[in-house]
Every structure is written in C-alpha cells, then in structure tokens.
C-alpha cells in the first residue's frame, strides 16, 4: 500500500474535498454552514481522497473551534487518524449523523469507521446528542403562563444563575468544564458562547415566578447557521415543576417573533427530561451529533 499524503486545501483546489463519497449525507447537515477552503484537509492515496475533514469557526474566529465534517473510506482508519493527528488545530470533533443511523447497517458501519479513526488519533467520546429543528407546520408550543420573563442587562446575574444551574447538571460539556475548572469555568464558557453568537445581548431573559423568585433563564440566539435555542436552564430549587418546558416554549415564541422561520435545538441523549420537553414542544429529531474531544496528541507535523 502506498503512503498517505495529507494536504491542506485552498481556494484553488477546494474541489478535492468534494471528491469523496458522502454516505452519511453530511452535506445535508451543512447546508447553512460556511467552511473556509484553507481549513479543509484531505488524505490522499495514489491521488484518491480516502479521508477528509473540514474545520469550522465563526466568521470572526481566527482559528477553528471544531471539526464538524469528517469522512473516512472503509479500510482507511489510519489515514483518517493521521488527518486529525497532523492538523495544526486540536479541537473538538463533531460527527453529524442521520437520526436513524443505528437502524441501517451500512450507515452504522460508516459511522463506526469514523469513530475508530477518531479514537486512533487520540480522541475520546464526550457525548451523543439529539439535534432538533422546529418548523411552522409543527405549530407554536403552548405557553403555560406560569413564569414571568424579562431581560437583564447585568452579566453577573446570568453568571450566578449559570453557576447554580450547573451545580446539578446532566450536560456533558458543562460537566467537563466543571471537572477542568469548577463551576466558574462552566458558567464562564456558557457566557462566552452566548456573547460569541451574533444575536443581540438584549435577547437574554430571566424567568421568575409570580412571587418574583428567579426560576431559570433562557437564551434565544442566532448561531452562524440561524435561529437556535441557545440555552435552557432551571435553578435546582425550582426543578420538579416542568419549568424547562415553559422556558423552551417562551424561547421558541421569542425567536419566531424576531422573524425565525425555523428554530434548531440540541440536547444530550442522556438528558431524558429535556429530550421529552423538545418532543412536547414540537421539535422532531432531525439528526444526531457525536462529540469527541482530543485527550492525547501523537507527535506529528502538519503537511
């Protein structure tokens, strides 16, 4: 077998990225995603693309924040691993898969090839997530009317609420941040993400009980791909009342009032209560996302 050649692409040869089969229909998942040509890389054997990756970041990001498109041909696990290992950016890997990929042997095999390449490159599974997309034909979710919503200009109020929310959480990314740097890091990373989103800061809302007690927060947002449920969180002392649904319904209504024609959302597969709320609010699962994170880097230089 001839050696693998790893190449970074640019505008002149970006078409090489498209010279690879797409069995998991990743292109459909990225219809509203803009990938920079020079953040795309391919692995070639005898001039044929056997693995490819597209790193991604927002329009103002100097470096990519994740790899959100990664394909590996059958039998080319090591080529896929080298593509990741040799990259100058060691960032989280997101694999966007059809919602029913587990039910089809060919799709499952293609997914497992990518998982194997990620693990061989020093990545570990972080979490599996449901991706949702609400559209108008689903009808707007009913507002229960139990909470009072309003803006709050002070980031410190949201920071404190996020610390309290993450003190008892099922979210894998928050748990990872807590393990690395405690509740302050988890809250800080959330705030940084909300500020990174191009949607107005004024959209962030607190939710209070009729008695004025802070019950939770919701963040209607736009990411670079469109309107999305940025964050839903209920304070621990107010859980057990189903308020997460109230927050989700309000967040959806808010985005539609701002002109959204579709709204995306996501939650961890293991977060059964939130998954149930998305279903209740009329958000069908459209895809699944498997998140890997780099935990070890084998010495290798980018080529």
């Amino acid at each position: 077998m001839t050696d693998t050649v790893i190449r970074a692409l640019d505008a002149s040869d970006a078409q090489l990225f498209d010279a690879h089969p797409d069995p998991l229909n990743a292109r459909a998942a990225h219809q509203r995603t803009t990938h920079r040509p020079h953040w795309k890389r391919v692995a070639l054997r005898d001039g044929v693309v056997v693995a490819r990756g597209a790193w991604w970041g927002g329009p103002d990001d100097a470096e990519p924040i994740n790899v959100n498109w990664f394909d590996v041909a059958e039998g080319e696990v090591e080529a896929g691993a080298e593509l990741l290992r040799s990259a100058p950016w060691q960032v989280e890997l997101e694999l966007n898969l059809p919602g029913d990929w587990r039910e089809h042997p060919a799709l499952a095999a293609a997914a497992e090839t990518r998982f194997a390449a990620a693990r061989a490159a020093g990545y570990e599974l972080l979490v599996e997530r449901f991706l949702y997309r609400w559209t108008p034909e689903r009808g707007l979710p009913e507002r229960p009317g139990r909470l009072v919503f309003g803006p709050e200009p002070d980031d410190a109020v949201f920071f404190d609420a996020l610390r309290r929310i993450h003190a008892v959480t099922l979210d894998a990314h928050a748990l990872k941040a807590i393990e690395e740097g405690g509740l302050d890091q988890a809250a800080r990373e959330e705030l940084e993400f909300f500020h990174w989103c191009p949607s107005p800061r004024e959209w962030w809302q607190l939710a209070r009980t009729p008695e004025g007690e802070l019950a939770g927060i919701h963040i209607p947002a736009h990411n670079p791909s469109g309107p999305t449920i940025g964050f839903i969180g209920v304070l621990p002392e107010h859980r057990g009342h189903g308020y997460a649904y109230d927050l989700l319904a309000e967040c959806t209504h808010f985005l539609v009032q701002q002109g959204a024609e579709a709204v995306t959302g996501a939650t961890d597969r293991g977060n059964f209560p939130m998954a149930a709320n998305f279903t209740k609010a009329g958000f069908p699962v459209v895809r699944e996302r498997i998140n890997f994170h780099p935990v070890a880097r084998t010495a290798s230089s980018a080529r």
Side-chain angles (χ1 to χ4, degrees), residues 6-49:
I6 308 294
R7 283 190 55 189
L9 302 180
D10 57 32
S12 68
D13 58 4
Q15 72 278 2
L16 267 178
F17 189 86
D18 299 319
H20 189 281
D22 188 19
L24 294 172
N25 199 17
R27 188 169 302 282
H30 294 299
Q31 289 178 351
R32 292 175 292 277
T33 306
T34 299
H35 291 105
R36 305 183 200 184
H38 60 284
W39 284 357
K40 293 180 177 180
R41 293 163 58 81
V42 296
L44 299 143
R45 191 182 309 284
D46 294 328
V48 176
V49 176

Side-chain angles (χ1 to χ4, degrees), residues 81-214:
E82 180 62 13
L83 183 71
L84 294 176
R85 278 195 300 259
S86 65
W89 318 285
Q90 296 300 298
V91 291
E92 192 166 294
L93 167 64
E94 295 182 352
L95 295 173
N96 292 289
L97 308 176
D100 60 351
W101 68 273
R102 291 176 176 82
E103 301 168 20
H104 301 280
L107 296 182
E112 290 295 340
T113 297
R114 288 149 181 77
F115 300 164
R119 292 189 178 99
Y123 284 68
E124 286 185 356
L125 176 66
L126 177 62
V127 66
E128 301 177 8
R129 291 170 62 78
F130 290 124
L131 304 184
Y132 301 90
R133 190 167 189 263
W134 175 91
T135 48
E137 63 267 21
R138 309 291 300 189
L140 279 166
E142 181 181 354
R143 286 163 152 159
R146 300 184 296 170
L147 298 173
V148 179
F149 298 93
E152 167 54 60
D154 189 354
D155 277 14
V157 176
F158 284 95
F159 182 84
D160 179 67
L162 286 162
R163 288 186 84 260
R164 294 160 67 185
I165 290 165
H166 285 326
V168 184
T169 184
L170 295 173
D171 184 86
H173 283 91
L175 290 170
K176 177 175 178 286
I178 292 167
E179 181 180 352
E180 292 172 350
L183 289 171
D184 280 3
Q185 178 168 323
R188 185 170 58 252
E189 287 184 3
E190 296 285 9
L191 283 178
E192 288 172 355
F193 170 72
F194 304 153
H195 279 296
W196 174 87
C197 289
S199 41
R201 165 63 176 81
E202 292 75 22
W203 286 9
W204 306 6
Q205 291 200 333
L206 303 180
R208 299 186 182 274
T209 66
E211 295 74 32
E213 293 183 26
L214 182 62

Side-chain angles (χ1 to χ4, degrees), residues 134-137 139-141 143 203 220-222 227-229 248-264 283:
W134 175 91
T135 48
E137 63 267 21
L140 279 166
R143 286 163 152 159
W203 286 9
H222 267 243
T228 192
I229 306 296
L248 178 58
E250 186 66 23
C251 198
T252 307
H253 276 263
F254 186 98
L255 287 166
V256 170
Q257 288 167 1
Q258 304 306 313
E261 297 179 358
V263 179
T264 62
F283 281 72

